[in-house]
Amino acid sequence: MTAKNIHLKDPASTNIWEVIFLYPGFHILIVHSVASFFYRINLKFMARLISQGARFLTGIEIHPGAKIGKNLFIDHGMGIVIGETAEIGDSCTIYHGVTLGGLGNSQIKRHPTIGNNVMIGCGAKILGPIRIGNNVKIGANAVVLKDVPDNSTIVGVPGKMIKHNN
């Protein structure tokens, strides 16, 4: 996400320079693009070294193998973990403490796939090779272990659908 897009999306942002210098969600996405490049050309140690350095500086851990769409907005990012086979669509928002994690130690797809325009509330855990549809809202501290259809709102432990618009 560009600094301009973050500035427009975050009402707390006073200007683009503030985003560029002070927003760890912006910094991690720049570093992730570099780490992801090294991961794709099979320099995995270098990729992990870069991503772990960024984790140390931002408190946000994105595995270099994770696929991130356009315009991801990470707000108050401390404690976010995004696993190796996770995929995130376009125009999503993720708040602090979110985990897109795996279940087990399978060498194949083990992390969630997140659709477009999804909001994931602080502390939510989305685990396993599940699919979260487009235009979904996941409430704070929800634990999601099953697929979620488009246009739904999920809350609770375990996550339950409280709203679904076709």
Side-chain angles (χ1 to χ4, degrees):
M1 179 170 242
T2 67
K4 182 179 179 183
N5 288 333
I6 292 172
H7 173 61
L8 293 173
K9 197 162 189 178
D10 186 358
S13 168
T14 58
N15 60 60
I16 292 172
W17 294 108
E18 180 180 21
V19 172
I20 291 168
F21 287 106
L22 303 176
Y23 276 53
F26 175 70
H27 303 149
I28 195 70
L29 294 175
I30 292 170
V31 174
H32 174 71
S33 66
V34 174
S36 181
F37 167 77
F38 285 106
Y39 188 83
R40 286 190 314 269
I41 64 170
N42 213 29
L43 292 174
K44 294 185 177 179
F45 179 83
M46 179 60 72
R48 290 300 303 272
L49 182 65
I50 292 167
S51 70
Q52 290 302 297
R55 174 181 172 246
F56 177 79
L57 295 172
T58 66
I60 303 166
E61 181 173 348
I62 304 176
H63 191 285
K67 295 178 182 161
I68 309 265
K70 293 182 241 170
N71 297 324
L72 173 62
F73 177 41
I74 295 175
D75 198 10
H76 304 288
M78 185 61 74
I80 290 174
V81 177
I82 300 173
E84 178 181 24
T85 62
E87 300 174 49
I88 301 173
D90 297 338
S91 301
C92 293
T93 300
I94 298 178
Y95 291 96
H96 63 279
V98 166
T99 298
L100 303 181
L103 294 174
N105 59 1
S106 170
Q107 294 298 315
I108 56 174
K109 177 83 169 142
R110 63 188 182 280
H111 300 95
T113 298
I114 309 298
N116 298 321
N117 196 38
V118 173
M119 188 281 299
I120 305 173
C122 57
K125 310 300 178 226
I126 305 172
L127 306 173
I130 61 175
R131 168 121 174 56
I132 307 300
N134 297 319
N135 308 307
V136 168
K137 291 185 171 85
I138 297 176
N141 296 314
V143 176
V144 183
L145 303 171
K146 296 179 181 176
D147 289 353
V148 175
D150 292 350
N151 307 306
S152 300
T153 300
I154 306 295
V155 298
V157 179
K160 291 184 171 70
M161 187 182 326
I162 62 165
K163 181 178 175 186
H164 179 72
N165 297 330
N166 288 329

